[in-house]
Amino acid sequence: MIDLWIHPGFLFILAAAALPFVKPTWKVAIKLGVPVLGFFVLVLVSHGIHGVLPLLGQQEMIFGRVDKLSLIFGYMVAIGTFIGMVFSLHVKEDKEHMAALVYAGSAMGTVFAGDLLTVFLFWEIMAFSSALLVFYAPGQQAREAGMRYLYIHILGGLLLLGGIFLYVGETGGIAFNALPQAGLGPMLILAGFLLNAAVPPLSAWLPDAYPESTITGIVFMNAFTTKTAVYVLLRGFAGTEILVPLGVFMVLYGLGYAVLEVDIRRLLAYHIISQVGYMVAAVGMGSEMAVNGAASHAFANILFKGLLMMGMSSVMLMTGFRKLTELGGLYKIMPWTFMFYMVGGIAISGFPLFAGFVSKSMVISAASELHRPWVAMLLTLASSGTFLSTGLKLPYYVFFWKDWDPNKVKHKVTDPPKNMLWGMGLAAFACTFVGVFPGPLYNALPFENAYHPYTWSHVIGAYQILLLTAVVFFMLLKKLDPEESISVDTDWTYRRGIAGFLWFIRKPVVRYENFITEVYKKGLIEPVKKLSQIGWTVDTWVFDGLVNASGWATLLESKVSEMFDVHIVDGTVNGVPVLLGGSAKRLRKIQTGSIQNYIMAMVVGVVVLGFVSLVLFG
Amino acid sequence: MWIIKYLEKIIENPAEMKKAKKGCLYFGIALVVADMIIHIPQLHLVHIYFLWDWIPGFSALYGFISTYLIIIVSKSIGHAWLMKPEDYYD
């Protein structure tokens, strides 16, 4: 244990800033090395408070609150970043990696923040840097989804900030510990947290934006926003009763939509909501085992959910299709993708010997121990739904179903580039390792853990549920055939709702305005015109005589001044534009004109400034 | 990879498919039998939290009902209300 505290988030953001200025080999070293370095910093750092920045007055911003709860989420961010970086290594442009590193760094910042202002600071950076991963995807659709994503997260940030102000005004302290479960301030903070955790009805941004992000960006998006939200909920609102029904509802909501979905990555996005529901319900239950369950399920999710996303992103990259109706029969031509994907599908469904089994069963057991039969029953039902959509339906329609027609695309469809396979392979290995040897994960959990997942009744029960799920899947296969459609979610309110508002603007408001214009025209403009005509007649005859005379005088004067101008002033002035022209040319290169780059520069700038001040004054 | 080869064999050969299905059936029966054995009270292998934990094979039944409900309920809500043509927002 060392007392030297290097904020891992600082490392990530520094790496993002350095990335465009180094040689390609160094780029690879940075992308892979920084998450590893961050991981080891976390392994070595001692528990306690580090990186304190005094604010004006009596308050302190705490950048490094290190305890078991923050550490396990810190490990998650480091591992998630590493896997994502391996998967995206083939992407040549730096901007995506820079955004991802800033995003991961700010997720680290949120996790280790000891006060509410620091949480808010990194919360906002996270929103902007993750939005970039949507903006960088080609096409109008992605840009629009990115804007909606950004608006919603700005709204969430405002809820959080408003809540923080009210809370701080009431209590006088900004420390971020367990918050009271009543009062407007804490409730607004809770709402801000729930928005990032994608709890319905504040969830529609997730399935709206994630599937539109870049091929590799979704792996990062999947890992950070919702998991840091689970962290702050655990820290601030463990044991808040309302979270139990919300979490259970979320689980069912996500998997219900997943059954309807036809877009492969959107289906998985709905399953993120479903999976985070387990964690939110566990936060609400709040017992030691439930908190452990939430943390371990978040950890496992980064592995298998990332793996599933990587698999479907690979399919999308190699075939160019993203809908179940357009896919099928890929298992022979993309065998490795299929195999790795299936490991993820099996792991998330909770097959014994894989990560989902050791984490999900802990949440369900926590519900059983607290004698909550409904919670236990509905979460068990949801395990069927998870296997149904991610382990059976999605792979069936993508990899089997019908033969792949090679003429459908011009190029030959194969497994994706090596680094993408390595990314998937790593995640698949980790899923299996955690499932077979849950010890290291269990030791890292916030509370002392005596839980044993591998009992006879657990294993046999799990296999029974999974087997019968598969049986019903093949029984009702016809009912599940993909249908080309989209499902309305709560984003209807701001997508169609806004259209309704626009109609209101177009029809009644415009009509009203036309009427007013007409009134003006008749009552004001026409009389004024008449008046001015009279004025014009007077003008031509009386005033022009005077004006012409003064014109001649002016002409003479200007001749004189021109001579002065040409010979004396111009000599000096000509020197200046030459100088200006040169620097303008240089400055123009900085302006790329695309808003993402400006946001990126601003975000990096703010963060670097923050850290510099921390280093200097902290 | 042998798994891919095996899958190819099952898909292209109905007789192999039948064999695989039979294998699943035997596996299911074995599971229920195993569940009955661990439910023998003297063995103390099952922790009873709720009433249904007494019933051997309950998980199988529950898995069947769950999946059936999920598919039917989701699809009917979808058809009645949620699913819209793809250009709905354009």
Side-chain angles (χ1 to χ4, degrees), chain A residues 260 323 331-332 339 377 464 467-468 472 479 483-488 492 495-496, chain B residues 3 8 11-12 28 35 52 59-60 62 64 67 74-75 79 82-84 86 88-89:
Chain A
L260 306 178
K323 285 191 286 183
Y331 80 103
K332 272 188 257 179
M339 294 295 289
M377 282 297 258
Q464 284 182 11
L467 185 68
L468 266 294
V472 178
K479 278 200 176 304
E483 300 165 78
E484 299 224 342
S485 69
I486 52 173
S487 306
V488 284
W492 185 90
R495 296 176 78 177
R496 283 300 277 246
Chain B
I3 297 183
E8 223 176 316
I11 290 165
E12 277 155 22
D35 209 12
W52 54 79
S59 297
Y62 190 65
F64 183 89
T67 316
S74 307
K75 279 284 181 185
H79 284 293
L82 298 175
M83 286 160 95
K84 296 277 188 280
E86 283 180 317
Y88 180 69
Y89 284 123

mmCIF file of all heavy atoms in Angstrom, chain A residues 260 323 331-332 339 377 464 467-468 472 479 483-488 492 495-496, chain B residues 3 8 11-12 28 35 52 59-60 62 64 67 74-75 79 82-84 86 88-89:
data_model
loop_
_atom_site.group_PDB
_atom_site.id
_atom_site.type_symbol
_atom_site.label_atom_id
_atom_site.label_comp_id
_atom_site.label_asym_id
_atom_site.label_seq_id
_atom_site.Cartn_x
_atom_site.Cartn_y
_atom_site.Cartn_z
ATOM 1 N N LEU A 260 -39.829 -7.267 -28.574
ATOM 2 C CA LEU A 260 -40.407 -6.633 -29.760
ATOM 3 C C LEU A 260 -39.353 -6.129 -30.735
ATOM 4 O O LEU A 260 -39.640 -5.903 -31.906
ATOM 5 C CB LEU A 260 -41.261 -5.428 -29.344
ATOM 6 C CG LEU A 260 -42.355 -5.678 -28.306
ATOM 7 C CD1 LEU A 260 -43.057 -4.376 -27.968
ATOM 8 C CD2 LEU A 260 -43.350 -6.683 -28.845
ATOM 9 N N LYS A 323 -30.586 -5.060 -38.811
ATOM 10 C CA LYS A 323 -31.916 -5.536 -38.422
ATOM 11 C C LYS A 323 -31.992 -7.055 -38.537
ATOM 12 O O LYS A 323 -31.424 -7.657 -39.454
ATOM 13 C CB LYS A 323 -32.981 -4.896 -39.304
ATOM 14 C CG LYS A 323 -33.231 -3.463 -38.926
ATOM 15 C CD LYS A 323 -34.454 -2.894 -39.589
ATOM 16 C CE LYS A 323 -34.235 -2.619 -41.056
ATOM 17 N NZ LYS A 323 -35.394 -1.999 -41.685
ATOM 18 N N TYR A 331 -23.456 -18.214 -38.879
ATOM 19 C CA TYR A 331 -22.590 -18.980 -37.980
ATOM 20 C C TYR A 331 -21.442 -19.666 -38.711
ATOM 21 O O TYR A 331 -20.396 -19.900 -38.127
ATOM 22 C CB TYR A 331 -23.399 -19.994 -37.157
ATOM 23 C CG TYR A 331 -23.769 -21.274 -37.859
ATOM 24 C CD1 TYR A 331 -23.078 -22.454 -37.610
ATOM 25 C CD2 TYR A 331 -24.815 -21.300 -38.771
ATOM 26 C CE1 TYR A 331 -23.418 -23.627 -38.252
ATOM 27 C CE2 TYR A 331 -25.163 -22.462 -39.416
ATOM 28 C CZ TYR A 331 -24.463 -23.629 -39.154
ATOM 29 O OH TYR A 331 -24.793 -24.780 -39.796
ATOM 30 N N LYS A 332 -21.614 -19.955 -39.977
ATOM 31 C CA LYS A 332 -20.531 -20.621 -40.706
ATOM 32 C C LYS A 332 -19.456 -19.641 -41.161
ATOM 33 O O LYS A 332 -18.289 -19.996 -41.233
ATOM 34 C CB LYS A 332 -21.100 -21.351 -41.925
ATOM 35 C CG LYS A 332 -21.540 -22.774 -41.572
ATOM 36 C CD LYS A 332 -21.929 -23.556 -42.805
ATOM 37 C CE LYS A 332 -23.430 -23.631 -42.902
ATOM 38 N NZ LYS A 332 -23.911 -24.356 -44.085
ATOM 39 N N MET A 339 -19.169 -17.841 -31.583
ATOM 40 C CA MET A 339 -18.775 -18.541 -30.353
ATOM 41 C C MET A 339 -18.632 -17.572 -29.180
ATOM 42 O O MET A 339 -19.136 -17.818 -28.088
ATOM 43 C CB MET A 339 -17.443 -19.271 -30.550
ATOM 44 C CG MET A 339 -17.482 -20.414 -31.535
ATOM 45 S SD MET A 339 -18.542 -21.730 -30.976
ATOM 46 C CE MET A 339 -17.549 -22.355 -29.644
ATOM 47 N N MET A 377 -39.554 -13.739 -7.117
ATOM 48 C CA MET A 377 -40.266 -14.397 -8.220
ATOM 49 C C MET A 377 -40.075 -13.653 -9.539
ATOM 50 O O MET A 377 -39.780 -14.247 -10.569
ATOM 51 C CB MET A 377 -41.775 -14.432 -7.918
ATOM 52 C CG MET A 377 -42.206 -15.477 -6.937
ATOM 53 S SD MET A 377 -41.880 -17.101 -7.573
ATOM 54 C CE MET A 377 -43.496 -17.593 -8.095
ATOM 55 N N GLN A 464 -32.984 -26.058 -14.837
ATOM 56 C CA GLN A 464 -34.400 -26.323 -15.151
ATOM 57 C C GLN A 464 -35.025 -25.126 -15.844
ATOM 58 O O GLN A 464 -35.683 -25.265 -16.882
ATOM 59 C CB GLN A 464 -35.167 -26.615 -13.863
ATOM 60 C CG GLN A 464 -34.899 -27.999 -13.318
ATOM 61 C CD GLN A 464 -35.713 -28.263 -12.062
ATOM 62 O OE1 GLN A 464 -36.607 -27.505 -11.715
ATOM 63 N NE2 GLN A 464 -35.397 -29.343 -11.380
ATOM 64 N N LEU A 467 -33.536 -24.663 -19.433
ATOM 65 C CA LEU A 467 -33.953 -25.686 -20.391
ATOM 66 C C LEU A 467 -35.389 -25.443 -20.846
ATOM 67 O O LEU A 467 -35.689 -25.485 -22.042
ATOM 68 C CB LEU A 467 -33.825 -27.072 -19.757
ATOM 69 C CG LEU A 467 -34.124 -28.232 -20.707
ATOM 70 C CD1 LEU A 467 -33.044 -28.330 -21.770
ATOM 71 C CD2 LEU A 467 -34.218 -29.545 -19.940
ATOM 72 N N LEU A 468 -36.266 -25.141 -19.878
ATOM 73 C CA LEU A 468 -37.669 -24.938 -20.241
ATOM 74 C C LEU A 468 -37.851 -23.645 -21.042
ATOM 75 O O LEU A 468 -38.726 -23.561 -21.903
ATOM 76 C CB LEU A 468 -38.543 -24.934 -18.990
ATOM 77 C CG LEU A 468 -39.156 -26.278 -18.616
ATOM 78 C CD1 LEU A 468 -40.156 -26.694 -19.693
ATOM 79 C CD2 LEU A 468 -38.129 -27.398 -18.478
ATOM 80 N N VAL A 472 -39.771 -23.546 -24.667
ATOM 81 C CA VAL A 472 -40.862 -22.649 -25.056
ATOM 82 C C VAL A 472 -40.443 -21.780 -26.242
ATOM 83 O O VAL A 472 -41.251 -21.497 -27.131
ATOM 84 C CB VAL A 472 -41.298 -21.770 -23.864
ATOM 85 C CG1 VAL A 472 -42.398 -20.813 -24.283
ATOM 86 C CG2 VAL A 472 -41.763 -22.639 -22.726
ATOM 87 N N LYS A 479 -44.091 -17.056 -33.457
ATOM 88 C CA LYS A 479 -44.557 -15.800 -32.860
ATOM 89 C C LYS A 479 -43.426 -14.790 -32.728
ATOM 90 O O LYS A 479 -43.662 -13.591 -32.672
ATOM 91 C CB LYS A 479 -45.124 -16.068 -31.472
ATOM 92 C CG LYS A 479 -46.551 -16.551 -31.485
ATOM 93 C CD LYS A 479 -47.182 -16.317 -30.126
ATOM 94 C CE LYS A 479 -48.648 -16.704 -30.115
ATOM 95 N NZ LYS A 479 -49.445 -16.014 -31.130
ATOM 96 N N GLU A 483 -40.262 -8.527 -36.780
ATOM 97 C CA GLU A 483 -41.185 -7.701 -37.560
ATOM 98 C C GLU A 483 -40.555 -6.336 -37.724
ATOM 99 O O GLU A 483 -40.057 -5.762 -36.767
ATOM 100 C CB GLU A 483 -42.520 -7.565 -36.813
ATOM 101 C CG GLU A 483 -43.197 -8.898 -36.579
ATOM 102 C CD GLU A 483 -44.307 -8.791 -35.553
ATOM 103 O OE1 GLU A 483 -45.381 -8.309 -35.911
ATOM 104 O OE2 GLU A 483 -44.090 -9.181 -34.398
ATOM 105 N N GLU A 484 -40.577 -5.821 -38.950
ATOM 106 C CA GLU A 484 -39.962 -4.516 -39.206
ATOM 107 C C GLU A 484 -40.823 -3.433 -38.592
ATOM 108 O O GLU A 484 -41.862 -3.072 -39.116
ATOM 109 C CB GLU A 484 -39.828 -4.283 -40.706
ATOM 110 C CG GLU A 484 -38.946 -5.309 -41.372
ATOM 111 C CD GLU A 484 -37.990 -4.685 -42.359
ATOM 112 O OE1 GLU A 484 -38.237 -3.545 -42.778
ATOM 113 O OE2 GLU A 484 -36.998 -5.347 -42.709
ATOM 114 N N SER A 485 -40.388 -2.942 -37.458
ATOM 115 C CA SER A 485 -41.173 -1.921 -36.786
ATOM 116 C C SER A 485 -40.276 -1.220 -35.783
ATOM 117 O O SER A 485 -39.184 -1.682 -35.495
ATOM 118 C CB SER A 485 -42.337 -2.554 -36.035
ATOM 119 O OG SER A 485 -41.835 -3.305 -34.946
ATOM 120 N N ILE A 486 -40.757 -0.098 -35.273
ATOM 121 C CA ILE A 486 -40.101 0.479 -34.104
ATOM 122 C C ILE A 486 -41.143 0.540 -33.003
ATOM 123 O O ILE A 486 -42.334 0.591 -33.277
ATOM 124 C CB ILE A 486 -39.502 1.871 -34.370
ATOM 125 C CG1 ILE A 486 -40.551 2.789 -34.970
ATOM 126 C CG2 ILE A 486 -38.299 1.777 -35.259
ATOM 127 C CD1 ILE A 486 -40.081 4.203 -35.096
ATOM 128 N N SER A 487 -40.673 0.489 -31.758
ATOM 129 C CA SER A 487 -41.608 0.523 -30.638
ATOM 130 C C SER A 487 -41.547 1.886 -29.994
ATOM 131 O O SER A 487 -40.465 2.397 -29.730
ATOM 132 C CB SER A 487 -41.227 -0.535 -29.616
ATOM 133 O OG SER A 487 -41.139 -1.784 -30.251
ATOM 134 N N VAL A 488 -42.713 2.469 -29.756
ATOM 135 C CA VAL A 488 -42.698 3.778 -29.099
ATOM 136 C C VAL A 488 -42.332 3.598 -27.638
ATOM 137 O O VAL A 488 -42.764 2.661 -26.980
ATOM 138 C CB VAL A 488 -44.045 4.521 -29.200
ATOM 139 C CG1 VAL A 488 -44.228 5.092 -30.558
ATOM 140 C CG2 VAL A 488 -45.189 3.621 -28.811
ATOM 141 N N TRP A 492 -41.280 9.271 -27.094
ATOM 142 C CA TRP A 492 -42.393 9.812 -27.879
ATOM 143 C C TRP A 492 -42.695 11.252 -27.470
ATOM 144 O O TRP A 492 -42.942 12.100 -28.313
ATOM 145 C CB TRP A 492 -43.639 8.947 -27.664
ATOM 146 C CG TRP A 492 -44.788 9.352 -28.510
ATOM 147 C CD1 TRP A 492 -45.090 8.892 -29.756
ATOM 148 C CD2 TRP A 492 -45.803 10.315 -28.203
ATOM 149 N NE1 TRP A 492 -46.219 9.505 -30.235
ATOM 150 C CE2 TRP A 492 -46.678 10.392 -29.299
ATOM 151 C CE3 TRP A 492 -46.049 11.136 -27.096
ATOM 152 C CZ2 TRP A 492 -47.777 11.235 -29.333
ATOM 153 C CZ3 TRP A 492 -47.152 11.986 -27.133
ATOM 154 C CH2 TRP A 492 -48.005 12.029 -28.245
ATOM 155 N N ARG A 495 -40.235 13.439 -29.107
ATOM 156 C CA ARG A 495 -40.076 13.315 -30.558
ATOM 157 C C ARG A 495 -41.380 13.647 -31.275
ATOM 158 O O ARG A 495 -41.412 14.491 -32.160
ATOM 159 C CB ARG A 495 -39.595 11.911 -30.901
ATOM 160 C CG ARG A 495 -38.209 11.656 -30.326
ATOM 161 C CD ARG A 495 -37.746 10.254 -30.552
ATOM 162 N NE ARG A 495 -37.288 10.064 -31.913
ATOM 163 C CZ ARG A 495 -36.771 8.920 -32.337
ATOM 164 N NH1 ARG A 495 -36.675 7.887 -31.524
ATOM 165 N NH2 ARG A 495 -36.370 8.795 -33.575
ATOM 166 N N ARG A 496 -42.496 12.979 -30.862
ATOM 167 C CA ARG A 496 -43.772 13.340 -31.445
ATOM 168 C C ARG A 496 -44.384 14.515 -30.713
ATOM 169 O O ARG A 496 -45.070 15.338 -31.307
ATOM 170 C CB ARG A 496 -44.728 12.142 -31.423
ATOM 171 C CG ARG A 496 -44.411 11.136 -32.492
ATOM 172 C CD ARG A 496 -44.513 11.741 -33.881
ATOM 173 N NE ARG A 496 -45.864 11.757 -34.367
ATOM 174 C CZ ARG A 496 -46.290 11.039 -35.399
ATOM 175 N NH1 ARG A 496 -45.460 10.247 -36.051
ATOM 176 N NH2 ARG A 496 -47.526 11.108 -35.786
ATOM 177 N N ILE B 3 -17.605 -27.390 -32.579
ATOM 178 C CA ILE B 3 -18.980 -26.993 -32.254
ATOM 179 C C ILE B 3 -19.721 -26.566 -33.525
ATOM 180 O O ILE B 3 -20.870 -26.944 -33.750
ATOM 181 C CB ILE B 3 -18.988 -25.845 -31.219
ATOM 182 C CG1 ILE B 3 -18.351 -26.329 -29.917
ATOM 183 C CG2 ILE B 3 -20.414 -25.369 -30.966
ATOM 184 C CD1 ILE B 3 -18.368 -25.330 -28.798
ATOM 185 N N GLU B 8 -23.671 -27.714 -37.706
ATOM 186 C CA GLU B 8 -23.971 -27.909 -39.115
ATOM 187 C C GLU B 8 -24.651 -29.264 -39.321
ATOM 188 O O GLU B 8 -25.631 -29.385 -40.060
ATOM 189 C CB GLU B 8 -22.646 -27.860 -39.894
ATOM 190 C CG GLU B 8 -22.731 -27.058 -41.161
ATOM 191 C CD GLU B 8 -21.374 -26.957 -41.839
ATOM 192 O OE1 GLU B 8 -20.364 -26.711 -41.136
ATOM 193 O OE2 GLU B 8 -21.338 -27.138 -43.059
ATOM 194 N N ILE B 11 -28.258 -29.233 -38.033
ATOM 195 C CA ILE B 11 -29.186 -28.440 -38.833
ATOM 196 C C ILE B 11 -29.493 -29.115 -40.160
ATOM 197 O O ILE B 11 -30.633 -29.111 -40.629
ATOM 198 C CB ILE B 11 -28.605 -27.025 -39.047
ATOM 199 C CG1 ILE B 11 -28.635 -26.272 -37.721
ATOM 200 C CG2 ILE B 11 -29.391 -26.261 -40.098
ATOM 201 C CD1 ILE B 11 -27.798 -25.042 -37.696
ATOM 202 N N GLU B 12 -28.468 -29.760 -40.738
ATOM 203 C CA GLU B 12 -28.690 -30.315 -42.073
ATOM 204 C C GLU B 12 -29.234 -31.731 -42.065
ATOM 205 O O GLU B 12 -29.688 -32.233 -43.094
ATOM 206 C CB GLU B 12 -27.378 -30.231 -42.871
ATOM 207 C CG GLU B 12 -27.220 -28.847 -43.480
ATOM 208 C CD GLU B 12 -25.774 -28.482 -43.736
ATOM 209 O OE1 GLU B 12 -24.948 -29.405 -43.840
ATOM 210 O OE2 GLU B 12 -25.484 -27.282 -43.822
ATOM 211 N N GLY B 28 -33.469 -33.101 -19.219
ATOM 212 C CA GLY B 28 -34.553 -32.530 -18.433
ATOM 213 C C GLY B 28 -35.056 -33.505 -17.390
ATOM 214 O O GLY B 28 -35.252 -33.144 -16.221
ATOM 215 N N ASP B 35 -33.551 -33.100 -8.763
ATOM 216 C CA ASP B 35 -34.242 -32.156 -7.888
ATOM 217 C C ASP B 35 -35.023 -32.898 -6.806
ATOM 218 O O ASP B 35 -35.073 -32.481 -5.660
ATOM 219 C CB ASP B 35 -35.179 -31.282 -8.733
ATOM 220 C CG ASP B 35 -35.370 -29.906 -8.123
ATOM 221 O OD1 ASP B 35 -34.604 -29.577 -7.194
ATOM 222 O OD2 ASP B 35 -36.260 -29.171 -8.567
ATOM 223 N N TRP B 52 -43.021 -22.488 -2.185
ATOM 224 C CA TRP B 52 -42.770 -23.288 -3.383
ATOM 225 C C TRP B 52 -41.390 -23.946 -3.392
ATOM 226 O O TRP B 52 -41.130 -24.786 -4.241
ATOM 227 C CB TRP B 52 -42.965 -22.444 -4.640
ATOM 228 C CG TRP B 52 -42.161 -21.175 -4.638
ATOM 229 C CD1 TRP B 52 -40.850 -21.057 -4.928
ATOM 230 C CD2 TRP B 52 -42.623 -19.867 -4.327
ATOM 231 N NE1 TRP B 52 -40.449 -19.761 -4.810
ATOM 232 C CE2 TRP B 52 -41.527 -18.996 -4.445
ATOM 233 C CE3 TRP B 52 -43.875 -19.330 -3.963
ATOM 234 C CZ2 TRP B 52 -41.627 -17.636 -4.212
ATOM 235 C CZ3 TRP B 52 -43.960 -17.977 -3.743
ATOM 236 C CH2 TRP B 52 -42.854 -17.136 -3.855
ATOM 237 N N SER B 59 -38.875 -25.131 -10.470
ATOM 238 C CA SER B 59 -38.164 -24.201 -11.361
ATOM 239 C C SER B 59 -38.493 -24.464 -12.821
ATOM 240 O O SER B 59 -38.650 -23.534 -13.604
ATOM 241 C CB SER B 59 -36.652 -24.320 -11.159
ATOM 242 O OG SER B 59 -36.309 -23.948 -9.862
ATOM 243 N N ALA B 60 -38.603 -25.749 -13.172
ATOM 244 C CA ALA B 60 -38.920 -26.100 -14.563
ATOM 245 C C ALA B 60 -40.282 -25.549 -14.938
ATOM 246 O O ALA B 60 -40.446 -24.873 -15.963
ATOM 247 C CB ALA B 60 -38.877 -27.613 -14.742
ATOM 248 N N TYR B 62 -41.897 -23.165 -13.511
ATOM 249 C CA TYR B 62 -41.876 -21.713 -13.467
ATOM 250 C C TYR B 62 -41.192 -21.142 -14.706
ATOM 251 O O TYR B 62 -41.645 -20.132 -15.265
ATOM 252 C CB TYR B 62 -41.169 -21.243 -12.190
ATOM 253 C CG TYR B 62 -41.313 -19.777 -11.955
ATOM 254 C CD1 TYR B 62 -42.563 -19.238 -11.711
ATOM 255 C CD2 TYR B 62 -40.217 -18.928 -11.984
ATOM 256 C CE1 TYR B 62 -42.721 -17.887 -11.510
ATOM 257 C CE2 TYR B 62 -40.365 -17.575 -11.782
ATOM 258 C CZ TYR B 62 -41.617 -17.052 -11.542
ATOM 259 O OH TYR B 62 -41.772 -15.710 -11.346
ATOM 260 N N PHE B 64 -41.131 -22.486 -17.624
ATOM 261 C CA PHE B 64 -42.071 -22.664 -18.736
ATOM 262 C C PHE B 64 -43.105 -21.542 -18.731
ATOM 263 O O PHE B 64 -43.307 -20.854 -19.732
ATOM 264 C CB PHE B 64 -42.758 -24.029 -18.593
ATOM 265 C CG PHE B 64 -43.689 -24.349 -19.718
ATOM 266 C CD1 PHE B 64 -43.222 -24.999 -20.854
ATOM 267 C CD2 PHE B 64 -45.029 -24.001 -19.648
ATOM 268 C CE1 PHE B 64 -44.077 -25.285 -21.899
ATOM 269 C CE2 PHE B 64 -45.886 -24.277 -20.695
ATOM 270 C CZ PHE B 64 -45.412 -24.926 -21.827
ATOM 271 N N THR B 67 -41.565 -17.911 -19.546
ATOM 272 C CA THR B 67 -41.235 -17.636 -20.932
ATOM 273 C C THR B 67 -42.502 -17.458 -21.759
ATOM 274 O O THR B 67 -42.602 -16.549 -22.583
ATOM 275 C CB THR B 67 -40.400 -18.781 -21.509
ATOM 276 O OG1 THR B 67 -39.417 -19.135 -20.561
ATOM 277 C CG2 THR B 67 -39.714 -18.370 -22.781
ATOM 278 N N SER B 74 -45.729 -9.563 -24.032
ATOM 279 C CA SER B 74 -44.978 -8.513 -24.744
ATOM 280 C C SER B 74 -45.513 -8.330 -26.151
ATOM 281 O O SER B 74 -45.741 -7.203 -26.590
ATOM 282 C CB SER B 74 -43.494 -8.862 -24.847
ATOM 283 O OG SER B 74 -42.974 -9.166 -23.606
ATOM 284 N N LYS B 75 -45.712 -9.443 -26.845
ATOM 285 C CA LYS B 75 -46.147 -9.320 -28.241
ATOM 286 C C LYS B 75 -47.527 -8.701 -28.330
ATOM 287 O O LYS B 75 -47.795 -7.907 -29.230
ATOM 288 C CB LYS B 75 -46.125 -10.698 -28.922
ATOM 289 C CG LYS B 75 -44.729 -11.106 -29.392
ATOM 290 C CD LYS B 75 -44.320 -10.370 -30.658
ATOM 291 C CE LYS B 75 -42.935 -10.806 -31.123
ATOM 292 N NZ LYS B 75 -42.434 -10.050 -32.267
ATOM 293 N N HIS B 79 -48.306 -5.332 -30.288
ATOM 294 C CA HIS B 79 -49.187 -5.223 -31.445
ATOM 295 C C HIS B 79 -50.323 -4.250 -31.195
ATOM 296 O O HIS B 79 -50.760 -3.535 -32.089
ATOM 297 C CB HIS B 79 -49.746 -6.601 -31.807
ATOM 298 C CG HIS B 79 -48.733 -7.457 -32.496
ATOM 299 N ND1 HIS B 79 -48.261 -7.161 -33.749
ATOM 300 C CD2 HIS B 79 -48.082 -8.570 -32.102
ATOM 301 C CE1 HIS B 79 -47.361 -8.069 -34.096
ATOM 302 N NE2 HIS B 79 -47.226 -8.937 -33.114
ATOM 303 N N LEU B 82 -47.633 -0.520 -28.969
ATOM 304 C CA LEU B 82 -46.299 0.064 -29.038
ATOM 305 C C LEU B 82 -45.655 0.034 -30.424
ATOM 306 O O LEU B 82 -44.888 0.922 -30.773
ATOM 307 C CB LEU B 82 -45.363 -0.651 -28.049
ATOM 308 C CG LEU B 82 -45.740 -0.538 -26.578
ATOM 309 C CD1 LEU B 82 -44.819 -1.392 -25.735
ATOM 310 C CD2 LEU B 82 -45.641 0.916 -26.119
ATOM 311 N N MET B 83 -45.937 -1.002 -31.201
ATOM 312 C CA MET B 83 -45.184 -1.150 -32.451
ATOM 313 C C MET B 83 -45.767 -0.263 -33.540
ATOM 314 O O MET B 83 -46.961 -0.269 -33.800
ATOM 315 C CB MET B 83 -45.185 -2.617 -32.880
ATOM 316 C CG MET B 83 -44.261 -3.461 -32.029
ATOM 317 S SD MET B 83 -44.654 -5.194 -32.107
ATOM 318 C CE MET B 83 -43.524 -5.723 -33.366
ATOM 319 N N LYS B 84 -44.863 0.483 -34.179
ATOM 320 C CA LYS B 84 -45.281 1.437 -35.213
ATOM 321 C C LYS B 84 -44.427 1.211 -36.456
ATOM 322 O O LYS B 84 -43.346 0.643 -36.364
ATOM 323 C CB LYS B 84 -45.046 2.863 -34.694
ATOM 324 C CG LYS B 84 -45.882 3.225 -33.473
ATOM 325 C CD LYS B 84 -47.263 3.666 -33.884
ATOM 326 C CE LYS B 84 -48.064 4.213 -32.720
ATOM 327 N NZ LYS B 84 -48.670 3.258 -31.841
ATOM 328 N N GLU B 86 -41.719 1.813 -39.396
ATOM 329 C CA GLU B 86 -40.366 2.302 -39.134
ATOM 330 C C GLU B 86 -40.163 3.784 -39.428
ATOM 331 O O GLU B 86 -39.228 4.388 -38.932
ATOM 332 C CB GLU B 86 -39.358 1.478 -39.940
ATOM 333 C CG GLU B 86 -39.123 0.135 -39.308
ATOM 334 C CD GLU B 86 -38.129 -0.689 -40.084
ATOM 335 O OE1 GLU B 86 -38.239 -0.696 -41.329
ATOM 336 O OE2 GLU B 86 -37.279 -1.321 -39.470
ATOM 337 N N TYR B 88 -42.098 6.092 -38.527
ATOM 338 C CA TYR B 88 -43.031 6.784 -37.626
ATOM 339 C C TYR B 88 -42.535 8.165 -37.205
ATOM 340 O O TYR B 88 -43.295 9.115 -37.138
ATOM 341 C CB TYR B 88 -43.257 5.898 -36.402
ATOM 342 C CG TYR B 88 -44.195 6.459 -35.372
ATOM 343 C CD1 TYR B 88 -45.557 6.570 -35.649
ATOM 344 C CD2 TYR B 88 -43.742 6.871 -34.132
ATOM 345 C CE1 TYR B 88 -46.432 7.068 -34.710
ATOM 346 C CE2 TYR B 88 -44.612 7.375 -33.178
ATOM 347 C CZ TYR B 88 -45.959 7.473 -33.475
ATOM 348 O OH TYR B 88 -46.811 7.970 -32.529
ATOM 349 N N TYR B 89 -41.237 8.265 -36.939
ATOM 350 C CA TYR B 89 -40.720 9.545 -36.423
ATOM 351 C C TYR B 89 -40.227 10.488 -37.528
ATOM 352 O O TYR B 89 -39.771 11.580 -37.244
ATOM 353 C CB TYR B 89 -39.573 9.297 -35.439
ATOM 354 C CG TYR B 89 -40.020 8.807 -34.078
ATOM 355 C CD1 TYR B 89 -39.547 7.612 -33.555
ATOM 356 C CD2 TYR B 89 -40.907 9.553 -33.318
ATOM 357 C CE1 TYR B 89 -39.964 7.180 -32.306
ATOM 358 C CE2 TYR B 89 -41.327 9.124 -32.079
ATOM 359 C CZ TYR B 89 -40.846 7.939 -31.569
ATOM 360 O OH TYR B 89 -41.242 7.512 -30.334
#
